[in-house]
Amino acid sequence: MPQFGSWKPIHDTHAIQLAAITVTLNEPVGDLTFRKALNNVNPIAVELGLTEHAPINPQLPPQIQQFLNVSSPMQGMSYVRQSDGRIGERAFINRESLRFEDFEYIRWSPFKARAQKLLGDAVSEFTGGSSVNNISSEYTDVFIGLVGDQSDVSEVVNANSPLIAAGAFHSKASWHCHMGWFEPIDEHCRRLVNVNIDVADNLLEEKINRQVRIKTQTFDQFGQDGYAEYSNNVSWERLSYHLDSSHDRLKSLLRDILSPEAALAISLP
Amino acid sequence: MTVEFTTDTDVSTPTTGGVDWEHLTSSRPIAYQAAAVSVALELRRAVSACGASFSALHILAEAERYCSVAAIGYMAVANDSKPSASAAALQRLRLFRDWRDNWDAEGAPAPDLGALEVASNLLGFLKSYPVEPIAMLHASGLPMFVLNFTGGEGEITVSGDGAVDFVLDLPDGETQAEVELEFDNQSLPVQLHDVLTRLRAIAQHER
């Protein structure tokens, strides 16, 4: 077990609690396109082991419903693969977004391949009726303290990292830091980068369970704020390039946040 | 499962309460927004029951992040108590990378690093089938998975050039085997996918 100091990553080989890809459209698609996409996705989801299918149809209390614009009885479909009673993988196909989540991340290559298999056809179907606003990649890394409220956060994150607000950092108390900025990618695309760091003391059986949660996320945005639109709809091949680029960027962000010991514990080069 | 939280109405009077996480998971899958609102309502009810007050807007603004953090905390603790079979297998593959020649004291060569990479990628596809992969090392230095599953067992071996051999003894008594299957890291070889899909169908039928 790759313990370092008074911490350990959530898994023995890495700290990734969740990896996810989301494709967001500029406008919701119509019924026909939506149903056609679902007809394509349903058997693929079964083939990949995501066998629990359920419509997304939020039932909200009336005092909340009045403030929310839920205009259609079916907003989307969810697909779940359970693993020993927990969610292993999950996907959402909504009228204006598609999302794939992996709670059992192993490697980038199979994760991206499974996302492509599940979402690729649906993306092609959706961009016939709309266009892609952005594609997002995200990782949530979790480290668990082993000595309760004495677990020193400076063993996990680099207190001098440019991605941590100096005024927020504390070695033995809860804090939260959020950063976001834009990076140019090419003439069509800019990248919004988000870094969220939560240090939380969860209570478990009356004991403090200190955890560091690092969420790194990119949104590659197309044709906005002066960036030229693509002449053709964005294809999965184009999105695939952005996914690989985002993957490398997210790794570099995490490297800039973690202490050398934490990075070594999760084999982050 | 109860998620506990503490809120301070002022610095001198901390208040504790709880959110019944089962209420949320019992209606899985649930839209993220709806989940955040449910947590917000539970939080407000719990806080009120404790005799404290809390701004509804503050709850709604924080609920999404709380829901996410609480979910991560719950799942982190759950994962901590029981690592998945694929995670355990991945750890063994990582350990094999450091083994040297004669690791078995009988002259076995050091593990093939390229084959270990292929095996790690293969693991990412195996996790969606009802098999428990146990990573092992063949005397040739090539990685292999022993597959445990209800009513049968099997093996998958990765060769140095990235090809895959498998043999599976299925619950219905049939044995399926193939050798030198090409694996492109994008999906399982068709023959392996087909037999594992058949195994999944058998497992679901028996449930």
Side-chain angles (χ1 to χ4, degrees), chain A residues 8 12-13 17 46-48 61 68 78 81-82 86 102 104 107 109-110 113-114 198 204 213, chain B residues 28-29 33 41 65 68 72 75 77 79-80 82 90-91 94 117 120 127-128 185-186 193 200:
Chain A
K8 66 174 182 177
D12 289 338
T13 51
Q17 201 279 334
V46 171
E47 185 184 332
L48 292 176
L68 298 174
S78 69
R81 175 178 66 80
Q82 285 213 40
R86 297 170 292 178
D102 190 348
E104 293 183 324
R107 300 290 293 272
S109 183
R114 289 171 70 79
D198 284 293
L204 181 66
R213 167 186 179 252
Chain B
R28 185 180 59 212
Q33 186 177 20
L41 292 175
R65 194 173 72 82
S68 178
I72 297 297
M75 297 186 78
V77 171
N79 286 338
D80 180 44
K82 189 182 176 187
L90 184 65
Q91 190 202 14
R94 288 271 176 92
E117 281 292 305
S120 298
K127 65 185 182 183
S128 64
N185 293 304
Q186 297 301 308
H193 162 74
R200 182 196 293 148

Side-chain angles (χ1 to χ4, degrees), chain B residues 145-169:
Chain B
F145 296 109
V146 170
L147 301 182
N148 285 338
F149 49 87
T150 303
E153 60 184 10
E155 290 178 8
I156 300 176
T157 304
V158 177
S159 66
D161 59 0
V164 169
D165 305 340
F166 76 85
V167 56
L168 270 78
D169 296 325

Side-chain angles (χ1 to χ4, degrees), chain B residues 148-196:
Chain B
N148 285 338
F149 49 87
T150 303
E153 60 184 10
E155 290 178 8
I156 300 176
T157 304
V158 177
S159 66
D161 59 0
V164 169
D165 305 340
F166 76 85
V167 56
L168 270 78
D169 296 325
L170 298 176
D172 59 8
E174 190 174 332
T175 296
Q176 296 264 4
E178 296 282 350
V179 296
E180 295 294 316
L181 299 177
E182 186 181 336
F183 173 54
D184 62 1
N185 293 304
Q186 297 301 308
S187 60
L188 288 179
V190 170
Q191 299 90 330
L192 180 56
H193 162 74
D194 286 347
V195 68
L196 290 174

Side-chain angles (χ1 to χ4, degrees), chain A residues 1-2 8 10-14 17 46-49 51-52 54 56 58 60-61 63-64 68 78 80-87 89-90 92 102-107 109-110 113-114 116 140 142 144 176 198 200 202-204 209 211 213 266-267, chain B residues 1-2 4-6 28-34 37 41 44 60 65 68-80 82-88 90-92 94 116-117 120-125 127-129 184-187 193 197 200 204:
Chain A
M1 187 173 295
K8 66 174 182 177
I10 188 177
H11 298 300
D12 289 338
T13 51
H14 62 73
Q17 201 279 334
V46 171
E47 185 184 332
L48 292 176
T51 55
E52 291 184 24
I56 296 173
L60 302 171
Q63 61 266 39
I64 302 298
L68 298 174
S78 69
V80 172
R81 175 178 66 80
Q82 285 213 40
S83 175
D84 290 335
R86 297 170 292 178
I87 297 175
E89 290 169 313
R90 183 167 60 183
F92 299 98
D102 190 348
F103 293 90
E104 293 183 324
Y105 183 90
I106 298 289
R107 300 290 293 272
S109 183
R114 289 171 70 79
Q116 177 170 350
T140 298
V142 177
I144 299 173
H176 165 74
D198 284 293
N202 293 307
L203 276 176
L204 181 66
N209 183 268
Q211 295 177 8
R213 167 186 179 252
I266 60 171
S267 302
Chain B
M1 171 69 186
T2 299
E4 298 184 0
F5 68 93
T6 301
R28 185 180 59 212
I30 201 169
Y32 194 73
Q33 186 177 20
V37 170
L41 292 175
R44 189 166 63 183
L60 287 170
R65 194 173 72 82
S68 178
V69 173
I72 297 297
Y74 168 65
M75 297 186 78
V77 171
N79 286 338
D80 180 44
K82 189 182 176 187
S84 66
S86 54
L90 184 65
Q91 190 202 14
R92 284 177 64 84
R94 288 271 176 92
L116 287 175
E117 281 292 305
S120 298
N121 285 331
L122 190 68
L123 196 56
F125 294 97
K127 65 185 182 183
S128 64
Y129 299 97
D184 62 1
N185 293 304
Q186 297 301 308
S187 60
H193 162 74
T197 300
R200 182 196 293 148
Q204 286 177 341

